[in-house]
Amino acid sequence: MPGAGPSGDAAAHRPAPGPHAGRPASAGRPTDVSPKGDGAARPAAPGPQAAVPGIPGTGAPAYPAAADPHPAAPDAQSVSASDTAPTGADAAAPVRGAPVQDRPAASGAGVRLDRRASNEGGGGGDDYTLQAPDPRVAPEPHAAVCVACRAGRVDDDGYCENCGHAQPRERDHMEQERGPVAAVSDRGLRHHRNEDAFAVGTTTLPDGSPVSVAVVCDGVSSATRPDEASLAASRAANASLLDALPRGTHPQQAMHEAILAASEAVNALADEQGVEAREHAPQQNAPACTIVAAVVTAGLLVVGWVGDSRTYWIPVDRSAPAARLTEDDSWAAQMVAAGLMGEAEAYADHRAHAITGWLGADAYELEPHTAAFKPDRPGVVVVCTDGLWNYAESADEMAEAVPADAAERPLHAARVLVGHALDGGGHDNVTVALVPFPAVPQGAGSA
C-alpha cells in the first residue's frame, strides 16, 4: 500500500577532513587506493523521494515529546557481541536500491577513506607452512595449545611459538539469538581480526507490548583500536535504547539519543590514550566506527545510522518490493545526490567507499540520521555492515540472498547471509542482524 515517506532527520554532519586508509570494495572494484582527504562538499539534496511501497511513514515529527512517565517495564534483556562464545570460523553455513531519506546540504564535509588495502600475495596472512614441533619442548601444563600444529604453546599475543599461526579470537565468529532477534558476525577471509560488533536485545514498552533492538557497528580500520570502538559503540547504544524505551521515550527520540551515547563512548576511548601517547604518535587517528540500528515494535520500525552500514526492508511476501532504508555517508552517495555522477560511475570510482560520517573524536558536528516507518505487512529488517552489502548492494539483491523463512528462522537466515558474503570472497568483516517485523493488527496499517 503506498504511503508517505519516512519522517526522520537525516542532517549530515561534517567530520574533520584527513587522510585515512581504506576498506576493500566489493568484487570487481579496485582494492588499492592512495589515501585522500579531500571530500567534496555536499550540495543540496534532491526533493522528496518516492514513497516505499508497503512502508507508509509515521507522519509524526522527528522528535515527538516523550510520553508521561509510566511504571517501569520488566527488566530488559540484551546481549552484546562480546558476551557470546565463539563457534569457529567455519560456522557460517549492483543496481542499488534508492535511498528513502532526504538529507540537507552540508558544506565542507570531511572524508575518511575506510577501504582497507589488499594484502596481495599473502593470502591475508591466514596461510602458514607448519613446522614440525620440537619434541624436546612440551607445552606447559594447562597452557593453550595451537589449533594448527596441535603442539606449540600459544604466547600472550595469541600466536603459536612453534608454527607462528595466529589463534582464533573470541570475536572471530559470534552468533546470538535473543527472542525474535538474531545476529551473526564473522572475521571474513582476508583480515586477522574482527573489527565489527553487534548488540541485540528485547524489552517492553510502558503498555506491555514487546520491542526488539539490534545495533551493528563497523570499526574504521585506519583508526587506532577500531575493534574497541565498535564494541563500545554497540554496547552504549543498546544500553541506551533498552533504558529509554520502557520509560516511554518515543522510539525515534530514543534512537537519536542512543547514537549520541555511542559517540560519547567512542570519544572516551581517545581520552584514555593519554597526552604522552598522543604526543609520540600525533599522526594516529582516534578510535572510530560506523553505526546502524533498528527498533521494531508492534506497528513501528525506526532506524538510525552514521556511516555506511545499512538497513534493508524485506517483506515476507516477495511479490512486494524490498527497500533500502538508509543512505550512506560516503563519497559515492554524495556524488550521486549532487547529480555529478550516475550510480554506476560513482560506485566504480576508487573513492566510492570513502566515508563522510563516523563516530569518533575526530568527527565533529555529529547529527545522527533517523527515520521512522509503519510497514503495512510482515517482513524482516536486515541490519548489516558493508562486509555483507558489498555482495548484495541493491534491495532486490539483498531480498534474493535472504532466505524465504527468515522471519521464522532469523538465526539460520543470518548464517546464510554471512555465508553469502564469504562465498563472494569475504574481503571484509561480515556482520548482520535480523529483526522480524510482525503482522500489522487490522486497522493499524497507516499513520
Side-chain angles (χ1 to χ4, degrees):
M1 177 184 302
S7 64
D9 58 288
H13 66 284
R14 298 189 295 276
H20 300 282
R23 164 185 307 145
S26 57
R29 294 182 185 160
T31 56
D32 293 311
V33 298
S34 300
K36 298 181 184 295
D38 298 325
R42 184 193 299 268
Q49 303 282 345
V52 178
I55 311 184
T58 62
Y63 305 121
D68 293 336
H70 293 275
D75 291 341
Q77 297 181 341
S78 68
V79 177
S80 126
S82 64
D83 298 327
T84 63
T87 60
D90 297 325
V95 185
R96 293 171 182 78
V100 299
Q101 188 73 14
D102 286 342
R103 177 175 299 158
S107 59
V111 174
R112 185 168 199 146
L113 282 174
D114 189 31
R115 186 146 57 85
R116 301 182 179 95
S118 64
N119 196 352
E120 295 181 0
D126 293 326
D127 297 327
Y128 296 88
T129 302
L130 302 184
Q131 303 174 1
D134 187 342
R136 298 167 296 178
V137 181
E140 298 176 7
H142 309 296
V145 177
C146 176
V147 299
C149 68
R150 304 290 183 181
R153 177 182 178 275
V154 178
D155 62 22
D156 294 337
D157 293 330
Y159 291 87
C160 176
E161 294 179 347
N162 174 59
C163 67
H165 193 92
Q167 304 303 295
R169 298 176 176 88
E170 181 181 1
R171 290 173 63 177
D172 281 358
H173 185 90
M174 298 170 292
E175 299 183 354
Q176 183 61 47
E177 191 169 33
R178 174 63 65 182
V181 193
V184 176
S185 182
D186 193 272
R187 185 186 67 182
L189 304 178
R190 300 294 184 92
H191 295 291
H192 289 289
R193 65 180 176 183
N194 189 355
E195 295 169 358
D196 289 356
F198 68 80
V200 295
T202 59
T203 185
T204 56
L205 299 179
D207 62 1
S209 60
V211 58
S212 300
V213 172
V215 182
V216 169
C217 297
D218 184 354
V220 176
S221 293
S222 59
T224 58
R225 301 154 66 191
D227 53 332
E228 296 180 40
S230 62
L231 183 60
S234 61
R235 284 177 166 176
N238 187 59
S240 178
L241 288 167
L242 294 180
D243 176 65
L245 293 169
R247 292 189 283 105
T249 305
H250 188 279
Q252 194 166 3
Q253 177 65 24
M255 180 67 75
H256 180 90
E257 295 171 356
I259 296 178
L260 295 180
S263 178
E264 293 176 1
V266 177
N267 293 347
L269 295 177
D271 296 336
E272 294 173 1
Q273 189 176 0
V275 176
E276 184 176 352
R278 289 194 294 268
E279 289 177 349
H280 280 82
Q283 75 285 357
Q284 289 187 342
N285 301 319
C289 68
T290 69
I291 186 171
V292 64
V295 171
V296 170
T297 70
L300 183 66
L301 163 60
V302 171
V303 298
W305 75 98
V306 174
D308 63 350
S309 294
R310 293 180 177 180
T311 301
Y312 293 82
W313 161 259
I314 312 296
V316 170
D317 178 6
R318 298 303 173 84
S319 64
R324 196 180 96 198
L325 304 181
T326 56
E327 181 186 352
D328 299 343
D329 288 322
S330 71
W331 181 90
Q334 283 190 349
M335 294 299 101
V336 174
L340 299 177
M341 288 185 177
E343 274 195 351
E345 181 185 4
Y347 280 90
D349 193 283
H350 69 278
R351 295 165 290 183
H353 282 254
I355 58 173
T356 57
W358 62 88
L359 304 182
D362 58 356
Y364 64 101
E365 296 185 20
L366 173 67
E367 184 61 31
H369 313 306
T370 67
F373 307 89
K374 284 189 174 180
D376 61 0
R377 66 200 67 193
V380 64
V381 183
V382 179
V383 186
C384 65
T385 62
D386 64 343
L388 171 60
W389 67 251
N390 272 332
Y391 301 99
E393 296 197 30
S394 72
D396 289 341
E397 289 172 326
M398 185 63 72
E400 185 176 349
V402 173
D405 61 352
E408 290 75 33
R409 303 174 63 197
L411 181 57
H412 167 74
R415 290 169 176 163
V416 169
L417 289 173
V418 169
H420 177 78
L422 297 180
D423 290 344
H427 286 75
D428 202 353
N429 306 145
V430 189
T431 301
V432 57
L434 293 183
V435 190
F437 188 91
V440 179
Q442 291 296 325
S446 59

